[in-house]
Amino acid sequence: MVSVSGDAAHDDVANPGGLPGAPGTVLITGASSGVGLFASKALADRGWHVVMACRGTEKARRAQAALAIPDQSVTHLQVDLGDLESVDALVSSFRASGRPLDGLVINAALYLPRLKHPERSPQGYEISMATNHFGHFLLIHRLLHDLRRSSHPSRRVVILGTVTANSKELGGKIPIPAPADLGDLAGFAAGFKAPIAMADGKGFKPGKAYKDSKLCNMITTQELHRRLHDSTGIVFTSLYPGCVADSPLFRNTPTAFRTIFPWFQKNITGGYVSQALAGERVADVVTDPAFAVSGVHWSWGNRQTKAVQPGALRQGQQS
């Protein structure tokens, strides 16, 4: 089983490391709602220009207006991350804008736990893995050149992870159904097209497909750090901002789940955080000098202790 491990406390202070770093331009995927939208707001408030890369640009514009994010702080670009050709088109559109790239936030995710049979991307891959991992992997690969050219003092790639892929977090320890497990990547080795729909080559489980894709994202962060940080100076990190139990990510879950899960996280585990606070935490990891440590997974987990410095949030720097 391929896994990510580590342990952490958490801090309720939005900016525990002090003043943010110099503003720049950051591209955020899935920025039309949820954590991505509120991260866009937090970064714009800090003087950053945000490229909101979304499947629905009109929806993103309405969401931007609802949060009073200034037009001059935002560029809207369209992308369907489940379609690799669309990812290439996004890169071309971004370069045509003439803007530098100082930060990249991998946030967009598709969670379809009620599927009975796998849906497929235009290239024939299971849609959760295609959207959450393959599209993002390609996007990072294509934009590394742009990040290398940036003159920003702290260029960063930040990937949103999940507590269920972390064996040392409470959410990764409890016996959840169908935990993330990539096995020996037999499904990938076999080409990952029909009838194969899972990274481990086993039977399709829609909830596990999401967890596996996020685990792939987190492992990618560590490999990018190991292979590229020393030669490029780019900071590669992942984070889990806490349980955003009312995130639009869960819009395809049963109604009862969308009612019970936030209540449970607020009243039983204490792990709940609002979309706004999660957005601030993403912005911290993008901008704050205290988080400029490559190869680290930052997690606020389920422990609600106060006044913890950023270094205590660190989960195992990889070398």
Side-chain angles (χ1 to χ4, degrees):
M1 174 180 176
V2 182
S3 65
V4 174
S5 64
D7 198 7
H10 117 283
D11 188 354
D12 282 327
V13 180
N15 187 19
L19 295 175
T25 296
V26 58
L27 187 151
I28 304 180
T29 64
S32 64
S33 65
V35 177
L37 173 62
F38 282 92
S40 299
K41 166 67 172 173
L43 284 160
D45 286 347
R46 300 177 192 208
W48 282 64
H49 187 89
V50 182
V51 179
M52 300 175 72
C54 308
R55 184 163 52 181
T57 54
E58 288 306 314
K59 175 184 176 182
R61 287 187 174 90
R62 291 193 298 270
Q64 171 208 339
L67 288 187
I69 303 173
D71 287 341
Q72 63 269 26
S73 296
V74 173
T75 296
H76 292 279
L77 295 180
Q78 197 277 333
V79 64
D80 178 355
L81 284 154
D83 183 347
L84 299 181
E85 291 185 2
S86 180
V87 173
D88 277 334
L90 168 64
V91 174
S92 296
S93 296
F94 173 75
R95 288 177 177 162
S97 75
R99 288 193 169 274
L101 183 66
D102 308 305
L104 174 60
V105 176
I106 300 303
N107 164 75
L110 187 65
Y111 180 45
L112 300 169
R114 304 176 79 178
L115 288 181
K116 300 299 183 183
H117 305 284
E119 293 184 4
R120 296 282 170 179
S121 74
Q123 286 75 36
Y125 304 119
E126 188 277 320
I127 195 65
S128 297
M129 185 65 74
T131 301
N132 303 347
H133 180 56
F134 291 170
H136 280 133
F137 187 93
L138 178 62
L139 181 63
I140 295 169
H141 176 73
R142 293 283 193 262
L143 290 177
L144 278 173
H145 173 73
D146 303 79
L147 284 165
R148 286 175 187 259
R149 296 178 60 192
S150 166
S151 59
H152 195 275
S154 181
R155 300 159 295 160
R156 302 185 195 183
V157 174
V158 177
I159 296 180
L160 273 289
T162 173
V163 71
T164 57
N166 191 334
S167 62
K168 294 299 179 69
E169 289 277 16
L170 175 62
K173 287 180 178 178
I174 60 176
I176 58 174
D181 184 353
L182 303 179
D184 60 359
L185 303 177
F188 285 172
F192 202 61
K193 292 190 176 181
I196 299 166
M198 302 297 290
D200 60 9
K202 297 180 181 179
F204 178 63
K205 296 179 179 180
K208 183 176 182 293
Y210 165 80
K211 297 169 197 170
D212 283 355
S213 69
K214 297 303 288 182
L215 177 54
C216 286
N217 288 164
M218 295 167 73
I219 292 172
T220 295
T221 307
Q222 296 180 7
E223 281 299 302
L224 287 167
H225 163 74
R226 186 178 68 84
R227 300 182 187 206
L228 296 174
H229 172 65
D230 287 345
S231 62
T232 67
I234 299 170
V235 172
F236 300 99
T237 59
S238 59
L239 84 150
Y240 174 68
C243 185
V244 190
D246 51 8
S247 165
L249 174 69
F250 300 116
R251 61 185 174 272
N252 294 303
T253 61
T255 302
F257 177 89
R258 297 197 302 272
T259 301
I260 295 170
F261 188 55
W263 178 90
F264 182 78
Q265 294 296 337
K266 291 175 183 178
N267 298 285
I268 304 301
T269 70
Y272 171 84
V273 297
S274 67
Q275 296 176 58
L277 179 55
E280 290 287 348
R281 289 173 174 171
V282 173
D284 284 340
V285 176
V286 173
T287 68
D288 196 310
F291 290 94
V293 186
S294 189
V296 167
H297 176 63
W298 304 98
S299 180
W300 281 258
N302 292 82
R303 284 165 286 284
Q304 305 299 304
T305 55
K306 304 259 185 191
V308 178
Q309 294 302 308
L313 306 175
R314 186 181 305 175
Q315 297 194 24
Q317 184 175 0
Q318 305 297 308
S319 60

